Amino acid sequence: MTKTKISSSSTPATASLNAEQLKERIIRHLHATLGTDINKASPQAWWRATCAAINESVFDGLRTTQREHYQQDTRAVHYFSLEYLMGRLFSNNLHNLGLYQSAKQALAELGHDIADLEDQEEDMALGNGGLGRLAACFIDSLATMNLPAVGYGIHYEHGLFQQEFQAGRQIERPDSWREYGNPWEICRPESVQEISVYGYVETVYDLQGRMKKVWHPGRIIKGVPWDIPVVGYHGSSVNVLRLWESRASDFFNWDVFNSGGYVDASRENIEAETISKVLYPNDETEAGKELRLIQQYFFCSCSLKDIIRRYKRAHGDDWSKFPEQVVIQLNDTHPAVAIPELMRILVDRADMHWDEAWGICQQVFAYTNHTLLPEALESWSVRMFEKVLPRHLEIIYEINRRFLLEQVDVRWPGDNDKKRKLSIIEEGHEPMVRMGHLSVVGSFRVNGVAEVHSKLVQSDLFPEMVALWPEKFTNVTNGVTPRRWLKACNPRLSSMLDRLIGSDWPTDLKQLSKLAAHADDPKVQDDFMAIKQQNKADLAKVIQDLTGVAVDPAAIFDIQIKRLHEYKRQHLNLLHILALYRRILQNPDYDMVPRVFIFGAKAAPGYKLAKEIIYAINKVAEKINHDKRVKDRIKVVFMPNYRVTLAEKMIPAADVSEQISTAGKEASGTGNMKLALNGAITVGTLDGANIEIAEEVGEDNIAIFGLTVDEVKALRQSGYHSRDYYHNNPEIKAILDWLETDYFTPGKPGELAAIKHSLLEGGDPYLVLADFEGYQAAQQQIDGWYRDKAGWAKKAMMNTACVGKFTSDRSIQDYVDRVWQLTPCKVD
Ligand code: Z16
């Protein structure tokens, strides 16, 4: 096993920059780049000038990295993802360059608080949730570990919508993150690509009588690349995230324009520019929309052409080295159309024989699966596919024909049932292209994102594929970058760790285990909890500002932050809050440690029940927060517009981490890792990476409850009747009936009834009622644990100490060893 060495102790070349030099740079850019002066510059101008000052160092690193990769002609990984949830880059770049302290001092001397300038930046929210944030953590680790890598994606004009609440209901507003320009991106007009869609396929014969397919496209669209430098931590590598923006092709519109069709030409412009206009806000449902397929194809085609252009610069028309130089990681099936696109380029454009081309494809692509939810598995109607990509449909048919003939029929001769199951084309009255099947057939490796999930991918999703190719399947458990999710977001805890265990932990997170030796030391416990207390006080201010609710930092801060989904069960959390409230009303002396229940979640705009759950939480919050009888034992807050930047403020302040999905449904989770890393104690089911977190921290330091994956299956087998729980548990019955009254929505009974109906008439598809009793017991256990101050401090510290496994550096090392076979390239 090759171990990638990270130069954690080596000081970055830029570390020598002191505050004085930075001040000079900032003022120079205030003058020369922003065209303003120190006495009249706005905070925005100061922020931009500082970004420009930082970029001098960033671009230095970018140049040397690209020169080195070019000279060494290194193998590189190409990460294909429709989503990158980057958040802000200002403090991230400063930290990774080792310039944060100098910049803070420089700005202070110029009369500015660095935190105020940080707030000038919009989040770069080009993703929905876990999958997009994972991509962002991965490109941070790749740069930090000096691995040659390019991230490819779409330069959306509008990222994930901004969320507001109006009378408790979610309202979506457009996100315009780069309305006034983004200082971190560089446009590269010299690398523009042109791509085709629509049209028809003609069969022609060449002079030797060989059949050829010629695609006559209906439209040509230009892809303009924007590069975002990705700065590795204290290393020397600066990699690139290359995002494609769609434009109308000048070439194509010329004729229309000249023949007087100015209006038609500008309509086509608008249509072309629509492709990269907006990120689809559905995290785990496939809408099957034509524009989405075009988005996927647009960025895959641009990216492949970009890769091939770079390859040809070094190797000309000799394709034999291509699989040695190029590996492409498909982040879910969203970019799977890259497989037939590479086949088209090789067979139709490079005149390669099918077998040779297919041999290359199968050595180049690897596929990561992120979900088992049936509604999230992508499939495209053959009809629409043929309209948008007629030649690609033919290629997929040919891939499928050979697969069924040469693999499936050889293994299971004459077995039509197996063929039906394994076919890339799902037959039926509306035939569909199954993108998961295509991804498995076209890739040399397939991985899930946590141990239990990878097992289920093999046993439940693709068992026949495993029978054909057992060695194709593997696991890579997710991870998160400790640079953003501990060092930058929790500076108090970071300095304490530096003092206690040394400063190597950001690139060697297993070092955190040294903290365990101090977990019984009362002095260290006090320091640790004092930091938590200060972080909670900071968050309390943010809560006050955003929601108007006053919360006490002495209460338990219980946090559930993730997309809103039935399977994630925010409504289970809500039912428990209602149970506590009811107990308080029934027994005014009900004894509980005061708790603040904090939610952050966006619902997909078309997901009705998810929006009803948000509304219900907001209405219940309003009632409880104003009820004097509660005596502040419970507060409920729903933070509006949850996003990376808000997560960075919430996670360091969490005492309790809610990870309560139905077992078997959450592929991994990554918020669970960030919260444990910052000393929160998990209340969780045995699902996704929770299982591995429990293994690492030990059962004393986590509150596990609920059905296991096997128990969920058994219960469903034997027939699950949610009504039994309603009738047999008086607390459950009382709470659900309460939701139907107008208690929380005065004068409007029934407004919150949707939750009750989904749990009873709807059959409770995610077994909320089955897990309720276990959940409330786990919450009682938390309440008991918190009363023992030293005991809690130890548990919290043990969480930080024991989760070193979940650095994204380890995930990337696993990809290197199990999938990519890359070697680091040190850059001076
Ligand atoms: C997503 O964020 C995830 C899966 C998916 O199919 C689509 C989207 Cl947008 C999430 C999983 O739900 C989560 O468990 C996992 O940790 C994350 O992907 C990264 O693997």
Side-chain angles (χ1 to χ4, degrees), residues 83 128-132 134 282-284 332 334 370-371 376 449 478 567-568 666-670:
E83 304 191 12
N128 273 287
L131 172 144
L134 187 76
N282 312 316
D283 52 335
E284 303 205 48
D332 215 298
H334 312 156
H370 293 267
T371 186
V449 289
N478 283 167
Y567 85 78
K568 296 176 189 281
E666 190 68 272
S668 162
T670 45

Side-chain angles (χ1 to χ4, degrees), residues 536-546 551:
K536 287 163 73 175
D538 286 355
L539 181 61
K541 286 203 195 79
V542 175
I543 292 172
Q544 175 75 253
D545 283 354
L546 292 178
V551 300

Side-chain angles (χ1 to χ4, degrees), residues 79 83 85 127-135 138 280-285 292 331-334 368-373 376-377 448-450 453 476 478-479 563 565 567-568 661 665-673 687-689 815:
Y79 201 80
E83 304 191 12
L85 202 40
N128 273 287
L131 172 144
R133 184 55 233 176
L134 187 76
F138 280 3
Y280 273 87
N282 312 316
D283 52 335
E284 303 205 48
T285 40
R292 168 78 172 185
N331 198 21
D332 215 298
T333 58
H334 312 156
T368 303
N369 173 285
H370 293 267
T371 186
L372 303 169
L373 294 189
L377 300 178
V449 289
H453 169 66
V476 178
N478 283 167
R563 285 300 288 259
H565 251 286
Y567 85 78
K568 296 176 189 281
S661 54
K665 296 295 178 188
E666 190 68 272
S668 162
T670 45
N672 47 3
M673 301 167 185
D687 196 17
Y815 277 103

